């Protein structure tokens, strides 16, 4: 407790002595009772888990601290600190595979608070319309498909400013972190730029570079070892990956549309002199579309229909030293100790899911020989009744590339009941039923997830 108070004390002092400063305090807590059945998609080895997850935050920020006036404008500074704690109760094995993937993403997952945010933010930097944030901060690039801290925070610098032409905005960022898919030695630099311009909707062009220094296997890449004459898996010591994204959003009356397309390129350096010509290339792509339609219904309120379409390229096994599998290192994948993809159980992104394979033979979690994910989904929420809402969603999952047989990974129905009091307090209960496709398991067995949540914030 003394350590926590010591962390917040400098902000309290800044707020008390800073000219025209405002002190903001925030807190949130989310408790979820969770039950997973058959995470391995195999009735002979189900891998069931039940536990209670805790997700708590406590933040304080001193805002609008006046700085020196220059060039006729006033610059202000914000100083923020946010503590985040994640943990589980009720199970001694709840963070084993595949749940440990989410736990490894965060600095700690035993309910010990870690620093999610510790930053300085300057508004009107150099008396220009530029906002600069320095330190550990929350950051999402576009929709989060390429880069999202997912509540862990990223340490570095981000800048965003207005350009003098037609409402254009431009920004840049640089962060240093780790690649959560691999162990030591591990260093991941993330840097890039953003250009946004408003039209009838909103366009956003993003460029992300990943300089990855973790030693890793390139799955699907192989070469003939001249010493043994045998096929050998490619192992690299460093990689530079490039992601170029174009996103378009529009809200038009009752309709909302959000689409994003990405090209991935890059190269990696093998740990030895082979394969020739001593480098491995990346050549992936992905597309995501989300749409929502709000429709007033006679005397009952407003219903909401929604659709999702997502696709990530898979690896082509015929190209031995090229990796076509789309896979950003820090894309949006987690919400606390759970996956945050499409489908409450399967949790699919265009590049990974709870696919039943959690060994080191693939990053995406899919069965051996499957790569890339295609998701189509639709859902509907009827008008709320006395504050009680209902969401019903259906998803179909397919592999983008397969060695043989069916592409179908599975299908899922999600049903959620929710009750909210403004934005401060929420109760919800969720049931998800996933049936494996033959690409996941030939027996097409069933998996389930049940969740009950209580959350509040101020």
């Amino acid at each position: 407790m003394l350590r926590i108070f010591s962390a917040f004390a400098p902000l309290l002092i800044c707020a008390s002595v800073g000219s025209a400063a405002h002190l903001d305090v925030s807190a949130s807590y989310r408790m979820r009772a969770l039950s997973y059945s058959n995470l391995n998609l195999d009735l002979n080895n189900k891998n069931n888990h039940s536990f209670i997850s805790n997700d708590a935050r406590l933040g304080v920020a001193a805002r609008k601290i006046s700085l020196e006036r220059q060039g006729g404008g006033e610059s202000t500074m914000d100083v923020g600190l946010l503590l985040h704690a994640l943990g589980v109760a009720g199970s001694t094995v709840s963070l084993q595979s595949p749940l440990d993937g989410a736990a490894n993403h965060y600095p700690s997952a035993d309910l010990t608070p870690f620093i999610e945010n510790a930053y300085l933010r300057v508004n009107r930097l150099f008396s220009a319309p530029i906002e600069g944030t320095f330190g550990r901060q929350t950051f999402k690039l576009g929709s989060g498909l390429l880069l999202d801290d997912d509540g862990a925070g990223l340490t570095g610098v981000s800048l965003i400013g207005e350009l003098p032409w037609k409402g254009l905005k431009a920004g840049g960022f640089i962060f240093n972190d780790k690649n959560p898919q691999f162990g030591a030695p591990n260093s991941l630099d993330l840097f890039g730029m953003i250009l946004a311009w408003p039209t009838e909707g909103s366009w956003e062009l993003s460029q992300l570079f990943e300089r990855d220094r973790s030693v890793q296997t390139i799955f699907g890449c192989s070469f003939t070892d001249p010493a043994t004459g045998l096929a050998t898996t490619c192992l690299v010591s460093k990689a530079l990956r490039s992601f170029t994204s174009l996103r378009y959003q529009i809200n038009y009356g009752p309709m909302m549309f959000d689409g994003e397309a990405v090209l991935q390129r890059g190269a990696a350096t093998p740990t030895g002199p082979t394969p020739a010509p001593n480098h491995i290339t990346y050549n992936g792509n992905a597309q995501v579309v989300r749409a929502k339609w709000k429709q007033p219904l006679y005397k009952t309120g407003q219903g909401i229909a929604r659709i999702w379409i997502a696709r990530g390229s898979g690896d082509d096994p015929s190209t031995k030293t090229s990796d076509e599998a789309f896979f950003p290192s820090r894309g949006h994948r987690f919400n606390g100790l759970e996956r945050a993809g499409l489908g409450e159980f399967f949790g699919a992104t265009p590049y990974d899911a709870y696919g039943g394979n959690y060994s080191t033979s693939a990053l995406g979690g899919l069965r051996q020989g499957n790569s890339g994910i295609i998701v189509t989904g639709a859902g509907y929420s009827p008008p709320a009744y006395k504050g009680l809402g209902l969401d019903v969603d259906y998803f179909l999952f397919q592999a983008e590339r397969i060695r043989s047989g069916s592409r179908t990974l599975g299908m899922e129905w999600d049903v959620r009941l929710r009750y909210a009091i403004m934005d401060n307090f929420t109760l919800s209960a969720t049931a998800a039923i996933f049936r494996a496709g033959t690409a996941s398991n030939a027996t097409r067995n069933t998996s389930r997830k049940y969740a009950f949540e209580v959350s509040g914030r101020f």
Side-chain angles (χ1 to χ4, degrees):
M1 182 62 69
L2 180 61
R3 220 182 310 177
I4 294 175
F5 176 79
S6 299
F8 282 100
L11 289 180
L12 299 175
I13 294 172
C14 287
S16 63
V17 302
S19 173
H22 301 279
L23 183 65
D24 292 342
V25 179
S26 63
S28 67
Y29 176 70
R30 184 172 67 126
M31 182 190 76
R32 285 172 63 86
L34 298 163
S35 175
Y36 288 92
S37 171
N38 193 19
L39 273 167
N40 284 349
L41 311 185
D42 182 355
L43 295 180
N44 296 318
N45 181 24
K46 290 185 176 182
N47 193 18
N48 299 339
H49 293 286
S50 296
F51 56 93
I52 296 174
S53 72
N54 298 277
D55 188 336
R57 284 182 169 94
L58 177 62
V60 62
R63 304 190 186 280
K64 297 184 179 180
I65 301 171
S66 294
L67 300 177
E68 183 178 26
R69 290 179 178 269
Q70 293 181 356
E74 181 182 16
S75 298
T76 62
M77 180 178 68
D78 303 337
V79 183
L81 180 65
L82 177 63
L83 301 180
H84 193 181
L86 296 167
V88 300
S91 175
T92 59
V93 295
S94 57
L95 299 182
Q96 290 187 352
S97 177
L99 302 171
D100 58 349
N104 293 338
H105 183 81
Y106 298 93
S108 68
D110 58 359
L111 213 55
T112 300
F114 61 87
I115 296 177
E116 180 180 344
N117 288 174
Y119 63 83
L120 297 173
R121 177 173 295 134
V122 179
N123 305 292
R124 294 194 60 80
L125 184 63
F126 308 121
S127 296
I130 301 173
E131 178 184 279
T133 305
F134 307 86
R136 193 159 186 85
Q137 57 194 273
T138 298
F139 188 86
K140 177 191 286 189
L141 182 62
S143 66
L145 175 63
L146 299 182
L147 177 59
D148 193 332
D149 73 291
D150 281 339
L154 290 168
T155 300
V157 178
S158 64
L159 300 170
I160 187 73
E162 299 178 7
L163 299 178
W165 311 287
K166 298 183 178 180
L168 289 170
K169 290 186 177 182
F173 57 90
I174 181 168
F175 299 106
N176 178 261
D177 208 272
K178 66 176 183 177
N179 190 329
Q181 282 81 42
F182 304 101
N186 197 322
S187 177
L188 179 67
D189 294 327
L190 303 160
F191 55 97
M193 60 199 74
I194 309 163
L195 179 64
W197 65 100
T199 57
E200 187 175 356
S202 175
W203 292 90
E204 188 173 285
L205 179 65
S206 302
Q207 179 65 53
L208 169 67
F209 295 97
E210 296 181 355
R211 183 182 290 118
D212 191 349
R213 298 184 181 89
S214 57
V215 176
Q216 57 194 268
T217 299
I218 306 298
F219 299 107
C221 170
S222 64
F223 64 97
T224 301
D225 190 330
T228 64
L230 300 176
T232 304
T233 301
C234 302
L235 190 68
V236 302
S237 58
K238 59 183 178 180
L240 179 63
R241 293 179 285 266
S242 166
F243 299 85
T244 304
S245 163
L246 183 62
R247 184 187 184 195
Y248 178 70
Q249 302 174 83
I250 186 171
N251 287 286
Y252 187 78
M255 185 193 74
M256 184 280 291
F257 174 88
D258 186 351
E260 185 171 11
V262 184
L263 290 177
Q264 175 185 354
R265 298 292 185 267
T269 303
T271 55
T274 53
N278 200 30
H279 72 275
I280 294 154
T281 60
Y282 296 94
N283 188 19
N285 60 85
Q287 304 82 35
V288 176
V289 171
R290 306 174 183 88
K292 185 185 297 184
W293 181 277
K294 298 179 181 180
Q295 180 63 51
L297 301 176
Y298 180 68
K299 290 187 179 181
T300 58
Q302 181 174 260
I304 301 175
R306 51 192 171 270
I307 62 170
W308 301 269
I309 301 172
R311 174 196 167 274
S313 62
D315 181 59
D316 183 352
S318 66
T319 56
K320 299 301 183 182
T321 59
S322 180
D323 186 0
E324 290 84 10
F326 174 79
F327 205 114
S329 301
R330 293 297 300 267
H332 179 46
R333 302 168 65 210
F334 303 112
N335 182 10
L337 298 179
E338 298 175 70
R339 288 193 58 83
L342 296 173
E344 276 287 329
F345 175 87
F346 204 55
T349 68
Y351 42 92
D352 68 345
Y354 276 166
N357 178 24
Y358 313 119
S359 69
T360 57
S361 61
L363 286 177
L366 307 184
R367 297 290 183 181
Q368 191 70 34
N370 300 333
S371 181
I373 298 177
I374 302 172
V375 185
T376 54
Y380 182 69
S381 298
Y385 176 73
K386 294 185 178 181
L388 185 65
L390 172 67
D391 304 321
V392 180
D393 299 300
Y394 172 80
F395 300 93
L396 174 65
F397 308 99
Q398 294 182 303
E400 205 274 335
R401 284 195 183 267
I402 58 171
R403 295 286 176 88
S404 63
S406 170
R407 293 179 178 271
T408 302
L409 298 169
M411 55 212 69
E412 178 173 331
W413 282 99
D414 295 345
V415 179
R416 178 185 296 105
L417 287 171
R418 50 185 167 75
Y419 179 79
I421 301 176
M422 302 183 69
D423 290 329
N424 301 101
F425 179 76
T426 302
L427 291 170
S428 70
T430 303
I433 300 176
F434 175 85
R435 187 179 183 191
T438 52
S440 297
N441 192 311
T443 64
R444 301 195 64 195
N445 53 71
T446 299
S447 304
R448 292 178 173 85
K449 175 184 176 181
Y450 300 104
F452 175 75
E453 176 181 324
V454 181
S455 62
R457 64 180 183 177
F458 78 91

